[in-house]
Amino acid sequence: MTRRPPMPAESQRARAIRAIQSRRRQIPALAEEETWRDFIERATGLRSLRSMPVPFLAQVLDALAAAGASAGPGRSGDRQLAKLRAEWISLHEEGATLDASDGALLAWAGRQLARPVDRLDDLTSADKRRLIEGLKCWALRLEQD
């Protein structure tokens, strides 16, 4: 197996900045520019992403994760979560649900698990598996009708 050459620093930098901006949008308190600059200054000592080397950008990503931001299903590699959402949307397209949103999925998941579910990212692998199987069974029942 051949090894890939190391990614150029500019590509790493661009990827890190995209990830930072994506995660920043997950935290409403960081919407204001001044608040955002204070946040990154606390994390790195610098007030601008443009002036940061790649290791500092990684520190900002860590600080965002500590503040509650996640990489998201498409980028985190959480295939179960992606499958759960896909099954939910598929049922919505079949007319089985009125709402395809994550909020509706959270409410349904809470009823199925008999406990409050605040975030899909907080579900255990076993919970996700159980919910996916429940959605699959629901889809099968629809096909039989």
Side-chain angles (χ1 to χ4, degrees):
M1 189 170 185
T2 60
R3 295 182 83 189
R4 295 172 99 184
M7 189 180 297
E10 193 54 38
S11 296
Q12 287 178 331
R13 180 178 178 67
R15 180 181 283 177
I17 288 174
R18 280 194 307 272
I20 287 167
Q21 295 300 343
S22 172
R23 293 179 194 182
R24 174 189 176 188
R25 286 189 291 273
Q26 296 175 17
I27 303 172
L30 297 177
E32 288 187 34
E33 194 64 27
E34 193 62 29
T35 306
W36 168 243
R37 291 191 184 278
D38 291 343
F39 177 84
I40 61 175
E41 185 175 28
R42 281 192 304 275
T44 65
L46 300 172
R47 291 186 61 83
S48 170
L49 294 179
R50 202 175 279 173
S51 64
M52 288 183 195
V54 173
F56 281 54
L57 295 173
Q59 290 177 1
V60 173
L61 283 168
D62 292 342
L64 286 166
S70 65
R75 293 183 176 85
S76 69
D78 190 342
R79 297 175 82 147
Q80 282 184 309
L81 197 50
K83 177 69 173 172
L84 183 62
R85 283 188 172 109
E87 290 288 337
W88 181 254
I89 291 168
S90 176
L91 281 169
H92 175 71
E93 289 171 352
E94 293 294 322
T97 68
L98 297 175
D99 188 354
S101 72
D102 274 3
L105 177 55
L106 284 169
W108 177 82
R111 290 190 300 274
Q112 295 303 303
L113 298 172
R115 63 179 167 82
V117 177
D118 296 323
R119 293 176 30 156
L120 294 173
D121 293 331
D122 295 340
L123 294 171
T124 65
S125 183
D127 288 341
K128 291 175 201 171
R129 189 171 36 254
R130 179 177 168 194
L131 293 171
I132 289 167
E133 291 306 315
L135 291 172
K136 286 180 181 178
C137 289
W138 189 357
L140 284 174
R141 287 192 303 273
L142 285 176
E143 287 178 13
Q144 293 172 353
D145 288 344

